Amino acid sequence: MIQAVRACKTAAEERAVVRKECAAIRAAISANDQYYRHRNLAKLMFIHMLGYPTHFGQMECLKLIASNGFPEKRIGYLGLMLLLDERHEVLMLVTNSLKQDLYHSNQYIVGLALCALGNISSEEMARDLAPEVEKLLLFRDPNIRKKENLNICDN
């Protein structure tokens, strides 16, 4: 897809390529294609960076965040931070997944959740997740403590 967009000589050609890819992504979303879900979200993030609307992929971020694997969660959290901001109502659905990931045994998943919380948290989300963040301050892993301290300084 990136090669096709770069090969476009006019804005109309680029719009046609993006329109075709968006249609394919919508079809994959409606078919509930789980195997390529992370790849489709990565394409949506690229389309978003080009300036095209990608609101139809917001729920895919939530589905990837709720998955078990680290690669899926990584793309899901990245999409969440890029495609959404604190004004979106979809973020209220993320709070439970964030809470679960803050207690995860994998330090990298905890780090993903902390970064996402620091970047997109609303006032309500910060209030709901404050006890979990306070518990992580006592965590012994230096990577978690570093992310925690950086997020506290940002907010």
Side-chain angles (χ1 to χ4, degrees), residues 20-77:
K20 179 181 172 187
E21 280 296 326
C22 285
I25 292 170
R26 280 190 189 101
I29 288 172
S30 53
N32 202 16
D33 185 5
Q34 295 179 0
Y35 185 71
Y36 290 112
R37 183 174 282 155
H38 65 283
R39 186 179 297 169
N40 289 333
L41 188 60
K43 287 180 182 180
L44 278 177
M45 288 187 283
F46 179 68
I47 291 168
H48 177 77
M49 287 188 281
L50 290 174
Y52 296 97
T54 57
H55 59 278
F56 60 91
Q58 292 175 352
M59 291 306 289
E60 292 300 296
C61 293
L62 300 178
K63 290 176 185 175
L64 284 172
I65 290 170
S67 66
N68 293 326
F70 176 75
E72 290 85 11
K73 282 187 180 286
R74 183 180 61 192
I75 293 290
Y77 276 122

Side-chain angles (χ1 to χ4, degrees), residues 27-153:
I29 288 172
S30 53
N32 202 16
D33 185 5
Q34 295 179 0
Y35 185 71
Y36 290 112
R37 183 174 282 155
H38 65 283
R39 186 179 297 169
N40 289 333
L41 188 60
K43 287 180 182 180
L44 278 177
M45 288 187 283
F46 179 68
I47 291 168
H48 177 77
M49 287 188 281
L50 290 174
Y52 296 97
T54 57
H55 59 278
F56 60 91
Q58 292 175 352
M59 291 306 289
E60 292 300 296
C61 293
L62 300 178
K63 290 176 185 175
L64 284 172
I65 290 170
S67 66
N68 293 326
F70 176 75
E72 290 85 11
K73 282 187 180 286
R74 183 180 61 192
I75 293 290
Y77 276 122
L78 184 61
L80 178 77
M81 291 184 279
L82 184 65
L83 301 176
L84 303 172
D85 60 12
E86 65 271 357
R87 294 183 305 257
H88 283 86
E89 295 170 3
V90 178
L91 285 179
M92 295 311 296
L93 302 172
V94 176
T95 305
N96 192 37
S97 294
L98 276 170
K99 185 180 276 192
Q100 289 176 351
D101 287 344
L102 288 173
Y103 284 121
H104 203 278
S105 60
N106 186 338
Q107 69 175 353
Y108 299 111
I109 291 176
V110 175
L112 287 173
L114 283 172
C115 284
L117 183 61
N119 284 314
I120 53 100
S121 68
S122 63
E123 185 177 332
E124 297 85 21
M125 187 184 295
R127 186 175 37 249
D128 292 342
L129 297 174
E132 286 77 15
V133 173
E134 287 176 10
K135 288 177 188 173
L136 286 174
L137 281 172
L138 304 173
F139 203 69
R140 300 284 183 234
D141 188 344
N143 292 325
I144 299 298
R145 289 189 59 121
K146 180 179 176 185
K147 291 214 182 275
E148 181 69 28
N149 290 330
L150 287 174
N151 286 333
I152 288 173
C153 293

